[in-house]
Amino acid sequence: MSKLRPKAYVYQIKNQQHTFPYHFNSGGKLLSTLTKLLYLSTILRNFTFFCYFTTFWKSILKRAAAKHLIERYYHQLTEGCGNESCSNSWCASSVGFNRMDNNAAAVKALELYKVNAKLCDPHPSKKGTASTYLESSAHSNSACGNRKLNHKDVHSVRDNFKDVNYLTEEKVYEILDICGEKEDYSPLIRVIGRVFSSAEGLVQSFRRSKPHTKEELKSLQGKDEDKDEDEKEAAACSATAMEEDSPASSSSSRLGEGSSGENDVQKLAPDEVSVDIEAVRRVYERLLSNEKIEAAFLNALVYLSPNVECDLTYHNVYSRDPNYLNLFVIVMENSNLHSPEYLEIALPQFCKAMSKLPLAAQAKLASLWSHYSAGQIRRMVETFQQLITYKVISNEFNSRNLVNDDDAVVAATKCLKIVYYANVLGGDLDVEHNEDEDEEPIPESSELTLQELLGEERRNKKGPRVDPVETELGIRTNDCRRPLIVFEEFVNEPLNEVLEMDKDYTFFKVETENKFSFMTCPFILNPVTKNLGLYYDNRIRMYSERRITVLYSLVQGQQLNPYLRLKVRRDHIIDDALVRLEMIAMENPADLKKQLYVEFEGEQGVDEGGVSKEFFQLVVEEIFNPDIGMFTYDERTKLFWFNSSSLENEGQYTLIGIVLGLAIYNNCILDVHFPMVVYRKLMGKKGTFRDLADANPVLYQSLKELLEYEGSVEEDMMITFQISQTDLFGNPLMYDLRENGDKIPVTNENRKEFVAQYAEYMLNKSVEKQFKAFRRGFHMVTNESPLKYLFRPEEIELLICGSRNLDFLALEETTEYDGGYNRDSRIIKEFWETLHSFGEEQKRFFLQFTTGTDRAPVGGLGKLKMIIAKNGPDTDRLPTSHTCFNVLLLPEYSSKEKLRERLLKAITYAKGFGML
């Protein structure tokens, strides 16, 4: 059969008897069966062509209607509807509309058609001014003309909006208005359910309008009117075909070929996405007040999350389409995510999906969220914290049922990490001012060869681990001076209470994919829990060094000491200790990682921890004595600082650093008073002007006033880039901050430079040799420890110095009793009444007597496990203690007065160790 033109073919079908006439014989009967079959096959073939050309003809009609609609958008953008009070933002008659040229209007008309934007009805003042404008009204009810013309007409054609596969802010408001008129929100609920349960639809929704380049405008418009018209028709018909013929795949098709495909993402900044976040927030604000609509978001999220998790886990969807990140941005803007309805199913599933995001996507999400306000960051933190807390308190976690195995808690923690780094990025960052690494590497232990022979490798040989998100973002937590919200809000106390730290530390060291360790997210752990993890790490390293020593003794046939033994004289403690430590540091630094064992010459105390505590206390008292001259003491701040003109050599400062590291390594608290800048410098940051606030507040205030001075600095203050200091003997020393600084006046223009260089000299350059030696000694002990990974500078201070808050009521609550005493015993009640009546200094004496240190441990006195044991009946003997185990041996004195007198004498004159 030859090809027929559509009109002729339709005519022949209608007049079928003329083209294929029936054939009858003289009897009026049909011819043979063969003739019947031939006739039927011909009819079927013609019907197939009829269906094809009917569809073809229908598409022609749609193209014509689409052309009229695009033209109508074009005239609306260039001429307007004529209504001076028009509120349509895409109408030239509306107030505040930015006029555009014809090329831009043509491109925008195409975009408005694709997103089904609002069309204005022609105002009576515009009737008859544009023929195409009027003509398009006749086609408004066609297949391609389902635009906002008349709500009743729209309802009759698209009652359920089945052709809406993605949403814009305008489309949501349009459907909402229609539903509001009929007081039936079921169509909107169905649209939300369809779009928000589809990854493709959600990724395509709420896109930001992107300005087009000149090249894009030329390619879209063409060089002549005919070509331009053809392109408009083709684009219109393509959009229509996708909407009607393939609703399931339309979003993904537009995603790859439309206005916001992968090429557009490449043009975005690292902290930008193609979704219009403000529009999403406005839509949520309008819709979440309706309970039925809110339920649609909840149900859609339950359906969406498993599919997203599958896409990210197996299909590598983000690498193919970075716009996939829009999905998480849109969902996280839902302010009701932390409500109880979401906590059971929806939010856990979504967190599991979000935790599968690749590293690059996590970093981009953190960069985007870093621009959010503190309130918005806090809302997201509360969302994930609510889920973690809910799961922890609703389950019974123990050593057999680990919280590490709860997928929801683990996933929420991984999601919280993204918000944590957004909080860091959005805060006050100082990515510069980093300390240079030590030029001389810390010598390796001579035991390395034996470990290699045993088939082992030294742990963390490459140094402490670094979080991969930090590496991707190019920042460190220590770079943040002040986060958007305080770091403490990221700590989850219920999680810390149920966490089995010994198991978690094992997972941290093994680093398997099947077991998650919360130590990889230290922001969620409190200092007490992190300190416990550090304790396990130190103890295991001590046991490892001990095991290696035993193996050496077997191989070499000689007895070696498995401990770091220090035998010192009480009256020569500095000379004996520092000389011994210096020899160890030079011969074999690995011995510093052995368990410390201190013995005072002439005393019978056995070191189970208590002797070491007193040793450190005495060493610190001697080292920080201002008469020695290694450190200066500020009476106003009660803080020590390195003496830039000290006569001691660098080796002495190295040994001080070793002592500080050994105290941490052996879980001892020191009475050390450094400004915070010292701990920041230990963590790799240089001191800056802001660090002078606590290191030297008087100088800080003076420099601050200099920066804020409103007059002429040069004429009124007459200062130069030369500063003066005093040496150890009080003699003035001059220093030029710049070459020939005495000839360079400080002016309003260069005063910031003067302040920065002044602070640089005071905190860094003037003590560079002393501090580098000090840090080198500290790292000799802690270089393989996760200390730097787990703790922030302020937590390092807490770790070394303990808590300054002495809450003896908390100590009373946690104290245990033995030997016949209990909480209700007479002597125990009198003991606590007596202790609470002591002054601050007497209380510190009591702590020193009982525990070996006058500072509270990390977490306060409530974390100190003290035991009071009965030590016989009434007697004249003094109370005694086992400082290694925090045990107070208290006789049952006959009266409260005798108890007070005996206790005060014991704690006031307690020094040394002996066998009673």
Side-chain angles (χ1 to χ4, degrees), residues 140-170:
S140 60
N141 290 324
S142 65
C144 288
N146 296 330
R147 299 297 184 262
K148 187 178 179 182
L149 299 178
N150 184 288
H151 289 172
K152 294 182 179 179
D153 294 338
V154 174
H155 269 290
S156 63
V157 179
R158 291 191 321 184
D159 188 43
N160 292 323
F161 300 94
K162 293 181 179 179
D163 59 335
V164 177
N165 298 303
Y166 65 94
L167 289 172
T168 63
E169 183 180 13
E170 294 79 10

Side-chain angles (χ1 to χ4, degrees), residues 9-59:
Y9 182 72
V10 172
Y11 177 79
Q12 288 179 355
I13 292 295
K14 291 181 179 179
N15 300 276
Q16 191 68 43
Q17 67 276 15
H18 298 292
T19 309
F20 300 100
Y22 294 98
H23 296 278
F24 297 95
N25 59 11
S26 56
K29 295 182 180 181
L30 289 172
L31 297 177
S32 63
T33 302
L34 181 61
T35 305
K36 295 179 183 179
L37 293 175
L38 180 62
Y39 170 73
L40 289 174
S41 64
T42 304
I43 293 297
L44 289 174
R45 184 172 58 181
N46 288 331
F47 180 74
T48 301
F49 276 91
F50 168 73
C51 293
Y52 171 78
F53 281 106
T54 300
T55 304
F56 179 70
W57 181 252
K58 184 179 179 181
S59 68

Side-chain angles (χ1 to χ4, degrees), residues 62 64 180 213 266 345 361 469 564 641 673 734 743 843 861 873:
K62 290 179 181 179
T213 63
Q266 295 174 357
I345 299 176
V469 181
L564 172 59
W641 184 246
H673 305 275
M734 309 306 292
K743 300 177 182 178
K843 288 181 179 179
L861 289 180

Side-chain angles (χ1 to χ4, degrees), residues 343-384:
L343 291 178
E344 186 65 34
I345 299 176
L347 189 56
Q349 290 186 353
F350 177 73
C351 287
K352 291 177 187 177
M354 187 173 172
S355 66
K356 302 296 183 181
L357 280 171
L359 189 60
Q362 294 181 37
K364 182 163 186 176
L365 208 51
S367 298
L368 170 70
W369 286 343
S370 68
H371 297 286
Y372 284 18
S373 66
Q376 291 163 338
I377 292 291
R378 182 174 285 106
R379 177 183 61 79
M380 289 191 286
V381 170
E382 291 173 353
T383 295
F384 296 124

